[in-house]
Amino acid sequence: MTGVFALIDCNNFYVSCERVFDPALEGRPVVVLSNNDGCVIARSNEAKALGIGMGTALFEARPLLEKHGVRVYSSNYALYGDMSNRVMAALSEFTPNVEVYSIDEAFLDLSGFRRLGSGRHGRDIRAKVHRWTGIPVSAGIAATKTLAKLAGGIAKRYPETGGVFDLTGLSGRRDAMAATDIGGVWGIGHRYARMLRRNGIETALHFHDAAGPWVRKRMGVAGARTWLELKGVACFDLECQPPARKTTVVSRSFRDAIENEEELRQAVAVFAARAAEKLREGGLTAGSVTAFVATSRFGPARHQYHNAATVALASPSNHTGAVTKAALAALKGIFRRRRRYKKAGVMLLDLAAAGRAQPNLFAPSNDGRGGRLMEALDRINRKDWGEPGSGARGWGDLLHYGAAGIHRGWRMKQAYRSPRYTTNWNELPVARG
DNA sequence: TCTGGGGTCCTAGGACCC
DNA sequence: TCTGGGGTCCTAGGACCC
């Protein structure tokens, strides 16, 4: 017996979060910006209708934004993360089989819910999430995840669906695929979409009707799976237990390019400290540390430089000192003078559960004094002025290693951030009666 | 002047071994 | 003079996702 997958997708999620706490934004064009206020990463339907593209740089979008009085927000990940948890909690009221796929999407297994019809369940879910959280969602329901994504796209694009589109029956499947651009198929990115269009494949239906061996040859096993999934053959299961993370990254673009080595070292030290903190939050250790740097992608080719280097830790660790030291050693090998660095980052590799890692008798221990020091550091940094896990803490940590410096000339730009309504006592909304 | 951040998987090719 | 082939591991790069 075949399964039934539902994809639940929050509409314009970041914008919807802002609207929950400021209902006056309803019906108005709203956009949310990336870290550093660099470009547009979320748009309300009204903003989309104005022609503001996803990923448009703020300086490019500004004339349109001003002309139409678009409300502009810096991203507020503390708020979005918390709202996401509430949405997922509402979904898990329906079934324990929930895969949290991203901050604003989840797959549900509805195989056991056939009695009332899938569409009815979709509408129930939609209503409940909205009632509990204020977030509007759309639902796509089908026999495979890829078809559920496709159905969700229809639900979102066609208001007459009421935000729910059920593709579990065979009828309508070809129409739905014919109405879906090839680039809108889950698993087909812009590169393959271009290649497919060159070969006359413009829609999901064209791809569905293409020859299997040809797809396998041109697109590998991943493409072949997508092709099968469109035919209703499930290749992807629900993953309710998120697999253990293998790497973690902390990186930022700089508001102003950095040339000075000491300044870059300070930035990398801050990234390393945050990365080590992420490890401790997840009860993990890393085996090696990569530092990477890059100049602007938008400058002339002769000015571009990007490089990365990896340093192994003497023994797996989540200690800020050890991680920072390794990151700075890696940076030393790749730093070149007279380059304008626009971005840098630290990646931690070979992650393992803390405590299960093979100890190295000859290296500083992760436990004992070092471990207690890290606990104290985390406790103090958590208090009042930041939330672990949020990307929006603004580097406000009071305690940090000396290498992180104190100037922070490269601090993030966040000119339009809304309050952290739900996670910071000092920023609770005030009710006026 | 100003263009996000954080992940995964697959594949091809080289090194090395038997 | 003849100069294989298969397996494994690693890495870099490319593709994808949100």
Side-chain angles (χ1 to χ4, degrees), chain A residues 86-318:
Chain A
R86 294 172 193 223
V87 169
M88 301 308 167
L91 294 180
S92 57
E93 293 283 310
F94 284 89
T95 165
N97 302 322
V98 176
E99 173 186 341
V100 177
Y101 178 66
S102 75
I103 193 167
D104 67 341
E105 279 177 65
F107 286 104
L108 273 60
D109 176 5
L110 294 187
S111 309
F113 295 76
R114 286 157 189 273
R115 206 164 42 84
L116 292 176
S118 308
R120 166 70 184 277
H121 283 294
R123 288 186 290 278
D124 285 351
I125 291 170
R126 199 175 125 81
K128 181 161 197 165
V129 172
H130 194 262
R131 201 161 55 239
W132 278 31
T133 67
I135 300 286
V137 303
S138 45
I141 302 159
T144 68
K145 284 177 153 184
T146 303
L147 284 169
K149 289 280 279 188
L150 192 143
I154 303 264
K156 207 179 280 189
R157 287 202 303 282
Y158 297 90
E160 56 270 33
T161 60
V164 178
F165 195 64
D166 181 357
L167 215 50
T168 47
L170 278 176
S171 70
R173 198 184 274 182
R174 288 184 71 84
D175 286 343
M177 287 192 285
T180 301
D181 183 83
I182 185 61
V185 175
W186 191 47
I188 296 185
H190 69 282
R191 294 304 270 272
Y192 281 144
R194 213 169 54 196
M195 184 277 290
L196 291 168
R197 286 194 195 101
R198 276 201 306 270
N199 286 276
I201 293 169
E202 308 271 349
T203 67
L205 184 60
H206 292 157
F207 185 65
H208 169 277
D209 291 341
W214 183 85
V215 171
R216 173 67 180 82
K217 181 158 167 277
R218 299 298 296 263
M219 302 172 65
V221 298
R225 284 194 194 116
T226 297
W227 181 79
L228 279 171
E229 284 240 322
L230 283 183
K231 292 188 174 298
V233 180
C235 301
F236 305 113
D237 287 331
L238 211 65
E239 289 177 20
C240 299
Q241 243 78 29
R245 201 182 292 308
K246 294 169 181 164
T247 63
T248 191
V249 176
V250 175
S251 78
R252 290 290 180 278
S253 294
F254 305 127
R255 184 182 47 186
D256 306 307
I258 292 179
E259 283 186 64
N260 177 278
E261 182 170 15
E262 182 51 32
E263 232 180 308
L264 197 58
R265 285 172 55 83
Q266 289 180 10
V268 165
V270 171
F271 303 153
R274 173 64 194 136
E277 193 184 317
K278 278 167 77 175
L279 288 184
R280 298 193 292 273
E281 284 163 20
L284 296 167
T285 60
S288 53
V289 180
T290 298
F292 59 90
V293 296
T295 53
S296 172
R297 315 195 305 280
F298 301 96
R302 66 181 185 284
H303 290 167
Q304 293 197 21
Y305 172 69
H306 52 96
N307 207 346
T310 302
V311 168
L313 294 172
S315 86
S317 173
N318 55 29

